[in-house]
Amino acid sequence: MMLALKLAFKNLLGAGLRTWLNVSVLSFAFVLIIFFNGMIDGWNRQGRKDTIAWETGKGQFWHPEYDRYDPYTIQASNGLMSDEILKETESKRLVPILVVQATAFPQGRSLAVILKGIDPMLTVLELPVSVLSSDNGIDYAVIGKRMAEAAKLKVGDKLLIRWRDKNGTFDAREIQIAEVFKCDVPGADNGQIYLSLQTLQEMMELKNHATYLVAGEEFEDRELENWVFRDLDFLLEDFNKIISAKKAGGSIMQIFMLLIALIAIFDTQVLSIFRRQKEIGTYIALGMTRMQVVGIFTVEGGAHSILATILGAMYGIPLFLFLNKVGISFGVGQGMDITLAETIYPYYSIRLIISTILLVVVSATIVSYLPSRKISKMKPTDALKGKLQ
Amino acid sequence: MRKVVVLFVALISFAAFTSPDAKEILDKVDRNMSSKNRIFESSMIIHGRRATRTINSISYSVGNKKSFTEYLSPAREQGTKMLKLEDKLWIYSPSTDRIIQISGHMLRQSVMGSDLSYEDMLDDRKLTEVYTSTLAGKEKLGDRDVFVLDLVAKVDDVAYFAQKIWVDAERFVPLKQELFAKSGQLLKRTEFSDVKQVQGRWFPMTIVYKDMLKEGSGTEFRITSIKFDQEIPEYLFSKASLKK
Amino acid sequence: MIRFIFKGVIRDKSRSLIPVIIVSAGVFLTVFLSSYFAGVFGDMIDLSARFTTGHVKVVTRAYAENEDQMPLDLALLEVGSLKTQLNAAYPDMEWVERIHFGGLLDVPDENGETRAQGPAIGTAIDLLSPGSTEIARMSIQESIAKGSIPSKPGEALISEGFAQKFAVSVGDEITIFGSTMNGSMMFKTFIISGTLNFGNAFLDRGAVFIDLRDAQLALDMEDASSEILGYFNDGVYNDAKALQVTESFNSSYNVPEDEFSPQMMRLVDQNELGQYLSLAEHMSSIFILVFVMAMSIVLWNTGLLGGLRRYSEYGIRLALGEEKKHIFYTTLLEAAIIGVIGSVFGTVLGLAGAYYLQTYGLNLSGMMDNVGMMMPAVLRSKITPELFYIGFFPGVIATVFGNALAGYAIYKRKTSRLFKELEV
């Protein structure tokens, strides 16, 4: 085997230009596969990270009636937090959020909005809501950039909102936009207005009530009575679907990319077997079995992939490191309800790299083997003479 | 805003102390406006952003708890019926032969694009049951002398925390009504006009509802004929009668 | 001369068939993949174009301002004549009407009374006219979970999620309750013809699809629609063209004083898709460039190998006294012929494949679990003008170049070595 490898590399390097052409094509395929997957993985990781940081935490406890996609359930879907939960919220391991449906009236239009009461001192989520704690008689609110654009609002603007308290009594109040935040997570932004939890509880006459609780890293995993735990798989369902769709789409592209490189190797293999019949005949004459000769040629073809890996690494590693540093700017993906960071930093996992190398090596070896099978059907005497067969 | 509310409430209590006859005024209004039952035909004029529509209907009601309305025109609405029993509401559509119950969130939707919600139509309690009333003063509204009453909710489950009502001092008919949020924000205004005497009572024949937070010129409700204390068969107020 | 070489190429299968196949295959892959890249990177744009933004979209200005509320009262009127005018003015585009409405889905019991209710998000598109392009555009067939697409008026598709939640199934009746364009109450009973998986948790609650005609009748929207979407006939968003169409339309139809006059918006004007679009184009051109390079190398390689295979032939020809220059010249001509034939084949095949994928898409849903129509589970390619030459020129040039490199060896030939090769 060692001999075969040594021989293979000698032969390949000896063939010069042709080998390098094949190798460079294969290395392109190799680098592109890693790049594309790295990009998707980077998107996935960032998306998950951002969603966890801005919206979901490491999981959420929902009031059993709460359904984030059904606004009609909101009114009835909040509950009193037990002492155990309150203790957790005081130590900031759980963030209680009260959700209320309301109507906002920006510039005489009416707009259905979701009010979210949140602890201004929270540490579990990155929402910049500390400004909500100021107590100067003004009801401050924080909104996201998407909401600000939809309602045509900016910092300092006043907005009239109307809602109904727990008894169904109408109430209306003017709030002032204290901050507009920018985040990649549409779910933390679209149609939502953040108020201080205490203010919203007062507005609703729902002291110590919450709709759901966001668990932070430090929260010790356990069940909470009367609350349903929603894990990240549940909370990130739509996002995960997009990623898997992207991956599936990418895999087709990779197959094609690889295919073109493999055609080159196949072609080379066919020709080299055709041209080196004398050599093949000599090997057999020297006492090698046909399968051994097939092995030599297969290894030789397959060795393209090893050279490709090395070549790919030579220009790929600096390229990847560069891309990882500067990132790939996607601009604002805000129009789409998809968590997509403005700049994606590709993520290249060891698993991705190893599996790609394996894929390239195995497939290159297989296409090298296919033409080599012809050798086993050759007549050694004719081969030795170099007669066309 | 909250200070305004406090002040508002304080004023009301002060007024309550000096004018004990606010309840009396409301009782008189009640006697004038409500009856054992009534049948009326009306037109609702809805001003949309693009067009104005008039919807004619006939309504039968007994007290505040039961009512049955049949829409007469335009053709699109003809035969649509609405039944209200206590706090439940059903709508029947002849085109689909279906009875749909309006409940939960739907109750808050506007009725046919008007400034009234289904819920507004369901609120059937007497003002005196829900509000503590005080006489805030006497003033002129147009050329009529009016009592101004301030009403503050005394029960929890009420849509509007406070109201202000201008009552004709002579005829005991409300001429204007304003509905407020807990914060004191004006939410809706209703104006009553065209007051006529029917079967010995004074009754406003035109009512204009206006949602003060929305743009637009409100919804006009015109009573074309009204009869009090009629014979209304009991079966009318059943779901079975919707399909007839 | 060319005819002679051409005959040679055609008759000698070993000289023609394999190289032509390889060139075709390479060019095919280049063309096809280029279209595919454009599709992969543009799929978010494409999705948005298909479902919400169109390539261009016509709505009233008042509607545009309140679009998220689906305000039917602000809809476009006289859409029939508007569509006729649009078709006449921009014949290379397809114009379709759609209606979006909110309401209540109400499930009756045996007495026709409410058994269950849920909020409905309604979409009305042309489902019934023969040759309607909307079904394919919205991947409805692929997203059907149970049953089938409505085949006659009065049928509706509802989300599978709703069907399960309220225990209704294909063939059952369901009433949509809402308000018409004029604000009247709208009741309309539909028979469920099928259920849909949307792959979007929100829509899976209560989405309902009905035919446009049904909606117009039920919602009192005779000759009206929420929007008219315009699609370029080739299915591909072209910003320059869109801008031109939008400007010419708005200058003649949009009246600044009339908030109900129609206004046209490009895809990139909506939902901030502009930046994403330019990025997608960037990415796909990088991928295409790399791919074309790789392909050229393969073809060059093939050309080179093709030339090398024929060393013996060159030897004989040299021995017969043919001039080196002439051999080289004929080799190049041959390569050019092979390159052109292969590239023409490859381009045609590639375009055909791209067209197929653009029209029908490649359904990947088997590779993902539980996806629906909102996911780009169906991959589509995108035919762009570049496709016509992106494979062709590299195909020809690389083949000729590869052969040239191989043929160059002729000049290095020594006559003494020739006879060795002639031993064959």
Side-chain angles (χ1 to χ4, degrees):
Chain A
M1 188 64 196
M2 264 328 279
L3 176 77
L5 261 177
K6 248 187 189 164
L7 212 59
F9 281 111
K10 270 212 170 122
N11 276 330
L12 281 180
L13 296 175
L17 186 62
R18 231 177 324 132
T19 300
W20 291 114
L21 289 182
N22 284 333
V23 166
S24 46
V25 170
L26 196 56
S27 79
F28 275 145
F30 174 63
V31 168
L32 272 185
I33 289 171
I34 292 184
F35 169 73
F36 190 85
N37 282 311
M39 204 169 70
I40 302 278
D41 282 351
W43 174 10
N44 187 12
R45 281 168 65 90
Q46 269 167 280
R48 278 183 81 89
K49 201 178 117 244
D50 290 346
T51 311
I52 288 168
W54 288 86
E55 188 187 359
T56 60
K58 73 167 178 180
Q60 295 179 345
F61 290 93
W62 285 13
H63 185 269
E65 297 294 314
Y66 181 56
D67 176 347
R68 62 183 155 168
Y69 296 116
D70 185 353
Y72 298 170
T73 65
I74 289 175
Q75 189 79 13
S77 57
N78 56 70
L80 191 64
M81 291 180 279
S82 66
D83 289 341
E84 180 198 1
I85 294 171
L86 286 173
K87 216 188 281 164
E88 293 283 348
T89 65
E90 266 158 42
S91 55
K92 314 291 179 202
R93 288 188 288 257
L94 277 181
V95 180
I97 292 181
L98 181 62
V99 182
V100 173
Q101 236 200 330
T103 312
F105 297 89
Q107 306 104 35
R109 295 190 295 145
S110 70
L111 198 65
V113 295
I114 297 289
L115 303 179
K116 280 190 173 172
I118 194 164
D119 177 2
M121 291 299 133
L122 87 172
T123 49
V124 166
L125 298 176
E126 277 180 29
L127 293 164
V129 287
S130 59
V131 63
L132 297 179
S133 63
S134 71
D135 187 24
N136 56 359
I138 299 174
D139 291 316
Y140 284 119
V142 168
I143 55 174
K145 195 166 165 271
R146 296 172 182 82
M147 176 66 192
E149 272 161 19
K152 301 191 177 73
L153 288 168
K154 54 185 189 305
V155 172
D157 280 359
K158 290 181 174 156
L159 177 69
L160 183 66
I161 49 168
R162 186 188 66 198
W163 72 96
R164 314 185 70 154
D165 71 10
K166 67 163 186 210
N167 299 314
T169 305
F170 277 113
D171 206 347
R173 202 178 264 201
E174 200 170 59
I175 55 170
Q176 189 175 339
I177 307 301
E179 179 139 2
V180 175
F181 63 84
K182 206 171 151 187
C183 82
D184 306 326
V185 188
D189 178 342
N190 278 342
Q192 295 167 48
I193 298 178
Y194 291 92
L195 299 169
S196 131
L197 178 65
Q198 211 189 335
T199 309
L200 192 60
Q201 284 175 340
E202 268 171 36
M203 282 160 61
M204 291 301 291
E205 293 188 11
L206 286 169
K207 194 169 159 37
N208 287 341
H209 274 63
T211 306
Y212 63 92
L213 315 161
V214 182
E217 266 321 308
E218 282 153 37
F219 177 77
E220 224 176 285
D221 290 333
R222 61 178 183 276
E223 287 191 2
L224 295 175
E225 208 184 331
N226 298 330
W227 299 84
V228 185
F229 185 67
R230 302 292 187 188
D231 60 11
L232 286 176
D233 282 344
F234 177 90
L235 296 168
L236 289 168
E237 197 190 344
D238 281 354
F239 180 70
N240 289 341
K241 275 188 198 164
I242 290 169
I243 294 292
S244 68
K246 281 275 152 197
K247 281 203 166 146
S251 64
I252 301 271
M253 187 169 78
Q254 293 154 19
I255 289 169
F256 275 108
M257 203 67 221
L258 202 57
L259 207 64
I260 209 159
L262 297 178
I263 287 177
I265 295 178
F266 185 85
D267 203 29
T268 310
Q269 260 327 79
V270 170
L271 191 84
S272 84
I273 288 161
F274 170 77
R275 290 190 67 224
R276 288 157 64 188
Q277 294 191 48
K278 281 184 195 167
E279 189 186 330
I280 293 166
T282 314
Y283 286 138
I284 297 173
L286 286 174
M288 280 187 169
T289 63
R290 286 196 177 95
M291 281 327 286
Q292 273 172 322
V293 182
V294 170
I296 286 177
F297 275 79
T298 306
V299 169
E300 193 179 310
H304 278 107
S305 59
I306 294 166
L307 290 175
T309 310
I310 296 166
L311 182 69
M314 265 158 53
Y315 65 85
I317 289 173
L319 179 75
F320 290 159
L321 287 178
F322 172 73
L323 284 177
N324 208 344
K325 200 158 170 232
V326 299
I328 299 157
S329 171
F330 271 75
V332 270
Q334 306 209 334
M336 292 160 289
D337 277 352
I338 298 165
T339 305
L340 175 62
E342 256 183 57
T343 304
I344 283 189
Y345 299 93
Y347 175 78
Y348 315 104
S349 64
I350 301 282
R351 216 182 112 197
L352 167 66
I353 292 168
I354 291 180
S355 61
T356 312
I357 291 177
L358 271 177
L359 176 71
V360 171
V361 171
V362 168
S363 53
T365 309
I366 290 171
V367 294
S368 304
Y369 170 69
L370 295 177
S372 309
R373 280 180 313 176
K374 208 177 159 191
I375 294 170
S376 58
K377 288 183 210 132
M378 281 180 178
K379 281 189 188 150
T381 45
D382 287 347
L384 202 54
K385 275 188 178 167
K387 270 204 175 138
L388 290 175
Q389 296 185 23
Chain B
M1 213 43 117
R2 259 166 281 176
K3 277 181 193 149
V4 177
V5 180
V6 174
L7 189 72
F8 187 67
V9 175
L11 272 177
I12 290 164
S13 16
F14 177 71
F17 184 71
T18 54
S19 310
D21 51 350
K23 192 174 179 303
E24 226 168 276
I25 296 168
L26 279 183
D27 280 341
K28 279 188 179 170
V29 171
D30 224 17
R31 252 176 277 145
N32 199 19
M33 301 285 287
S34 53
S35 51
K36 192 182 101 205
N37 67 42
R38 63 186 175 213
I39 303 173
F40 63 91
E41 277 187 49
S42 63
S43 311
M44 186 155 72
I45 301 154
I46 301 165
H47 302 279
R49 267 177 87 166
R50 263 178 158 166
T52 295
R53 288 184 312 135
T54 304
I55 294 157
N56 298 311
S57 62
I58 182 162
S59 296
Y60 306 82
S61 65
V62 174
N64 285 327
K65 305 280 182 199
K66 296 182 194 168
S67 87
F68 180 93
T69 302
E70 180 173 353
Y71 291 89
L72 306 172
S73 72
R76 177 102 214 168
E77 317 289 354
Q78 197 184 351
T80 299
K81 294 167 194 164
M82 201 186 289
L83 172 69
K84 176 194 124 173
L85 294 176
E86 306 275 333
D87 58 348
K88 291 202 172 68
L89 190 66
W90 292 272
I91 295 177
Y92 170 75
S93 114
S95 62
T96 54
D97 195 30
R98 285 283 326 268
I99 295 171
I100 288 182
Q101 184 174 1
I102 306 296
S103 58
H105 204 270
M106 272 307 286
L107 288 170
R108 300 184 177 179
Q109 303 292 317
S110 124
V111 180
M112 299 186 177
S114 68
D115 284 31
L116 284 168
S117 67
Y118 293 103
E119 201 177 41
D120 289 340
M121 307 175 86
L122 277 185
D123 201 6
D124 54 10
R125 290 174 297 185
K126 285 186 180 171
L127 288 177
T128 46
E129 284 172 31
V130 180
Y131 293 98
T132 308
S133 52
T134 48
L135 183 64
K138 241 181 128 172
E139 55 184 63
K140 276 234 171 209
L141 190 71
D143 56 353
R144 305 292 305 174
D145 283 319
V146 288
F147 292 117
V148 184
L149 297 181
D150 285 327
L151 277 62
V152 176
K154 60 182 177 189
V155 294
D156 282 335
D157 57 334
V158 58
Y160 302 97
F161 178 76
Q163 299 196 6
K164 198 167 184 160
I165 301 180
W166 286 256
V167 179
D168 190 306
E170 188 192 331
R171 298 166 176 168
F172 292 95
V173 168
L175 294 180
K176 187 164 132 183
Q177 183 181 25
E178 287 183 343
L179 306 176
F180 296 90
K182 264 199 288 188
S183 62
Q185 170 76 41
L186 175 60
L187 297 174
K188 285 190 178 172
R189 175 181 291 151
T190 315
E191 285 172 314
F192 305 80
S193 58
D194 196 12
V195 180
K196 283 192 179 141
Q197 208 161 19
V198 184
Q199 289 174 274
R201 317 153 177 266
W202 288 99
F203 206 85
M205 303 299 271
T206 301
I207 306 170
V208 176
Y209 297 94
K210 171 87 182 78
D211 184 333
M212 299 307 284
L213 301 185
K214 270 204 267 183
E215 282 177 336
S217 42
T219 300
E220 204 176 320
F221 196 75
R222 272 193 207 142
I223 294 169
T224 44
S225 79
I226 184 162
K227 283 181 240 162
F228 297 99
D229 303 321
Q230 300 293 306
E231 287 293 318
I232 303 175
E234 187 56 30
Y235 74 80
L236 193 65
F237 303 104
S238 70
K239 279 198 264 176
S241 72
L242 282 170
K243 286 202 176 191
K244 276 187 185 145
Chain C
M1 181 69 197
I2 292 179
R3 247 177 76 189
F4 172 74
I5 295 171
F6 190 74
K7 269 190 183 158
V9 169
I10 298 296
R11 287 188 187 154
D12 181 359
K13 289 253 162 61
S14 78
R15 261 201 288 172
S16 57
L17 196 64
I18 304 280
V20 165
I21 285 175
I22 290 188
V23 174
S24 312
V27 172
F28 163 73
L29 281 178
T30 309
V31 172
F32 184 71
L33 232 73
S34 300
S35 79
Y36 180 80
F37 283 143
V40 165
F41 286 102
D43 65 356
M44 295 282 180
I45 301 287
D46 190 49
L47 194 71
S48 152
R50 286 166 191 281
F51 282 87
T52 47
T53 57
H55 290 148
V56 295
K57 173 159 149 181
V58 182
V59 290
T60 67
R61 197 168 65 247
Y63 187 92
E65 279 165 12
N66 297 287
E67 198 166 344
D68 49 341
Q69 297 172 43
M70 303 184 278
L72 290 182
D73 53 328
L74 310 178
L76 285 170
L77 300 179
E78 293 166 21
V79 287
S81 74
L82 189 59
K83 250 178 86 177
T84 313
Q85 291 166 48
L86 283 166
N87 278 324
Y90 314 106
D92 54 346
M93 294 186 76
E94 189 184 352
W95 301 92
V96 295
E97 299 147 73
R98 283 187 197 165
I99 295 174
H100 302 284
F101 58 95
L104 201 67
L105 272 183
D106 186 286
V107 186
D109 63 10
E110 62 277 13
N111 300 321
E113 290 180 33
T114 299
R115 171 166 74 78
Q117 278 180 346
I121 309 137
T123 307
I125 59 172
D126 183 359
L127 289 170
L128 297 179
S129 347
S132 165
T133 49
E134 291 278 87
I135 294 168
R137 186 171 291 124
M138 298 187 95
S139 313
I140 289 179
Q141 187 63 57
E142 294 83 348
S143 310
I144 294 244
K146 290 193 189 106
S148 58
I149 296 175
S151 56
K152 55 179 187 290
E155 292 187 332
L157 290 164
I158 65 166
S159 73
E160 175 64 16
F162 185 92
Q164 279 174 9
K165 191 170 165 193
F166 294 113
V168 285
S169 51
V170 175
D172 287 353
E173 281 191 349
I174 198 157
T175 305
I176 301 177
F177 172 58
S179 19
T180 69
M181 181 172 177
N182 299 319
S184 296
M185 283 183 226
M186 183 275 270
F187 299 84
K188 177 87 178 135
T189 299
F190 289 92
I191 291 170
I192 301 168
S193 75
T195 62
L196 289 172
N197 261 327
F198 291 87
N200 170 299
F202 179 67
L203 283 180
D204 280 334
R205 297 304 153 112
V208 54
F209 271 71
I210 57 173
D211 180 56
L212 186 76
R213 264 321 282 153
D214 272 347
Q216 285 176 328
L217 289 173
L219 296 166
D220 231 354
M221 293 181 73
E222 192 59 44
D223 204 20
S225 73
S226 302
E227 60 197 21
I228 296 180
L229 300 178
Y231 292 93
F232 292 112
N233 278 344
D234 58 7
V236 180
Y237 179 69
N238 177 334
D239 195 45
K241 245 158 84 187
L243 184 66
Q244 199 190 332
V245 169
T246 308
E247 278 176 353
S248 84
F249 179 86
N250 285 341
S251 68
S252 49
Y253 288 90
N254 191 12
V255 186
E257 304 83 53
D258 179 7
E259 61 174 344
F260 297 112
S261 65
Q263 78 170 29
M264 190 184 281
M265 293 176 287
R266 283 178 300 164
L267 179 148
V268 294
D269 299 330
Q270 304 170 52
N271 299 352
E272 293 180 45
L273 287 173
Q275 213 166 341
Y276 184 85
L277 182 73
S278 68
L279 183 93
E281 279 171 357
H282 249 81
M283 284 308 263
S284 74
S285 49
I286 290 174
F287 269 72
I288 289 168
L289 183 75
V290 169
F291 190 78
V292 168
M293 271 167 57
M295 194 60 233
S296 303
I297 293 174
V298 169
L299 292 183
W300 172 13
N301 198 1
T302 313
L304 191 63
L305 296 176
L308 292 176
R309 265 176 227 235
R310 296 169 58 189
Y311 266 26
S312 335
E313 180 198 325
Y314 296 151
I316 296 170
R317 282 164 71 178
L318 282 173
L320 289 174
E322 197 174 341
E323 255 185 82
K324 282 182 179 171
K325 214 170 118 188
H326 188 257
I327 296 177
F328 188 60
Y329 172 68
T330 49
T331 309
L332 288 195
L333 210 58
E334 240 182 75
I337 289 170
I338 288 168
V340 169
I341 295 174
S343 297
V344 167
F345 264 122
T347 303
V348 168
L349 280 176
L351 284 172
Y355 179 75
Y356 177 83
L357 214 59
Q358 176 171 303
T359 318
Y360 301 102
L362 176 65
N363 195 345
L364 289 179
S365 44
M367 297 170 75
M368 295 174 270
D369 5 296
N370 195 24
V371 289
M373 67 199 294
M374 294 304 288
M375 267 330 116
V378 177
L379 269 169
R380 284 167 195 283
S381 59
K382 181 172 159 181
I383 293 188
T384 52
E386 298 94 72
L387 294 185
F388 289 89
Y389 56 81
I390 202 157
F392 188 83
F393 290 110
V396 177
I397 293 168
T399 313
V400 172
F401 192 61
N403 273 289
L405 215 66
Y408 181 66
I410 298 165
Y411 289 99
K412 295 195 286 190
R413 274 295 176 72
K414 297 227 167 61
T415 320
S416 59
R417 274 188 63 199
L418 276 176
F419 293 96
K420 255 186 145 178
E421 280 162 13
L422 284 172
E423 274 173 49
V424 182

